[in-house]
Amino acid sequence: MSESKPSIAAYAAHASSMASRINSAKFESALLKTHKKEIGKLLDLLGVDSNNPNECARLDTWNSWSTDKAKPYIRIHLYELDSFKGKKLSAILWALSCHGETEVKTKEYPNSINRDYDFDFKNIRVQVCAFVGEESATCKRVKIGEKTQIVEEFAIQCD
């Protein structure tokens, strides 16, 4: 049974997609290797304890679409905090604010009692995702109002 042209095209498209992903992975790996020393120093400075299930650090790459510059991206997750003023979070934020000149940007997610802190340094981007535990005595999710939203519904109708 011979292959039809659509199947050949599908395989070619898949091969092209795979080649693109491989090239992207090679680029990201080279970028991380280039900044390995700086990444290591910063991670050591922040002191995230990989043995603690409420702390983790992940490494990735981040690409700024506005400047078309890729850089290493460190994402730190802290869970079950009592507040956003605890020792561990404060120490990490202090270390990052002393690491270099950058303005910290924050974004809150009240549904998960979470606040993200973003630091965009010259060669590295760092995000600290802080989650306050549900049993916190100092931080609670509180209702501040209500919002009504109209959502259009559609169906398929064929003649």
Side-chain angles (χ1 to χ4, degrees), residues 155-159:
I156 297 174
Q157 189 176 44
C158 301
D159 293 333

Side-chain angles (χ1 to χ4, degrees), residues 52-110:
N52 182 339
N54 291 324
E55 299 179 20
C56 82
R58 292 194 172 100
L59 187 58
D60 202 349
T61 57
W62 178 82
N63 191 6
S64 169
W65 302 113
S66 60
T67 63
D68 200 33
K69 181 178 183 207
K71 58 175 78 171
Y73 184 31
I74 300 170
R75 185 175 293 156
I76 297 166
H77 291 250
L78 302 174
Y79 299 100
E80 298 298 323
L81 300 173
D82 187 47
S83 74
F84 294 115
K85 295 181 182 180
K87 286 182 183 181
K88 184 68 175 196
L89 178 60
S90 295
I92 288 173
L93 296 177
W94 175 255
L96 288 169
S97 66
C98 293
H99 181 68
E101 291 186 26
T102 185
E103 181 181 325
V104 62
K105 295 178 183 168
T106 61
K107 185 163 184 181
E108 292 192 353
Y109 301 92

Side-chain angles (χ1 to χ4, degrees), residues 100-120:
E101 291 186 26
T102 185
E103 181 181 325
V104 62
K105 295 178 183 168
T106 61
K107 185 163 184 181
E108 292 192 353
Y109 301 92
N111 286 342
S112 56
I113 316 177
N114 160 237
R115 184 179 293 157
D116 289 351
Y117 302 84
D118 290 302
F119 296 83
D120 197 6

